[in-house]
Amino acid sequence: MFSLLDRPRLPFFALFLVGSGLLGFGLYLQHVVGLEPCPMCIMQRYAFAVATCFGLIAGLHGSTGGGRKVYGVLITLFALAGGGVAAWQSWMQRFPPSIAECGPGIEYLMESFPLTELLPMIFRGAGDCTAIDWTFLGLSIANWSLLSFLGVLAFGLHVIFRRVAR
């Protein structure tokens, strides 16, 4: 199985496809189900999108040498960043603070700010970071995000440290 990970293009394209699917599912939850992402969710989306884009670029490049390791380092860095946010959000959901730290709800923002100021705020997210609005197999979105980032991190570390036979 590890030999499939040593191919120059396939694992990176797989990362791109899986990552795109997960990002698409997040957009489905937002726009179809109606779950508003919080600022921490938006940060995780950015980190996952960047790691996924590096997967696409690495797949298109098909590097087998040091370039492959550079892509592995970049993917690992964004997996660590996004995973750190997901871990912190999972912690906040398990042990919620007495005052929500994620900001006001979308209704308040729409009533209080003009459109030019509102659009950037909406893009940053308006949901409560401690709220658990959706679960699957007993895990929240933040928990699943953390598991996804751990998978991407494992992939990135494998790319960095595995010697590929040429």
Side-chain angles (χ1 to χ4, degrees), residues 1-160:
M1 181 171 123
F2 284 116
S3 64
L4 288 176
L5 291 175
D6 292 337
R7 293 185 173 189
R9 296 176 190 265
L10 180 66
F12 291 108
F13 282 135
L15 172 65
F16 174 73
L17 289 175
V18 170
S20 296
L22 290 171
L23 288 167
F25 184 67
L27 292 172
Y28 167 81
L29 289 176
Q30 179 180 355
H31 295 290
V32 176
V33 177
L35 299 179
E36 285 298 320
C38 69
M40 294 178 94
C41 297
I42 298 296
M43 288 190 293
Q44 291 169 61
R45 279 188 192 176
Y46 280 137
F48 211 76
V50 172
T52 300
C53 286
F54 279 127
L56 175 62
I57 294 167
L60 293 171
H61 185 223
S63 177
T64 58
R68 180 179 171 91
K69 292 190 184 297
V70 169
Y71 291 124
V73 167
L74 292 169
I75 289 168
T76 298
L77 289 175
F78 282 95
L80 285 170
V85 174
W88 181 247
Q89 184 178 9
S90 295
W91 177 266
M92 286 176 54
Q93 287 177 344
R94 179 86 170 121
F95 305 104
S98 57
I99 299 173
E101 301 172 4
C102 293
I106 189 72
E107 298 84 18
Y108 172 79
L109 293 173
M110 290 176 71
E111 294 172 3
S112 303
F113 294 97
L115 186 60
T116 56
E117 293 179 29
L118 176 64
L119 289 177
M121 290 179 190
I122 291 173
F123 189 66
R124 285 191 299 260
D128 178 7
C129 295
T130 61
I132 301 174
D133 297 326
W134 182 90
T135 61
F136 180 68
L137 299 176
L139 298 175
S140 70
I141 296 171
N143 301 147
W144 283 109
S145 179
L146 177 58
L147 289 175
S148 298
F149 278 117
L150 289 173
V152 174
L153 176 65
F155 171 78
L157 291 173
H158 175 81
V159 169
I160 294 169

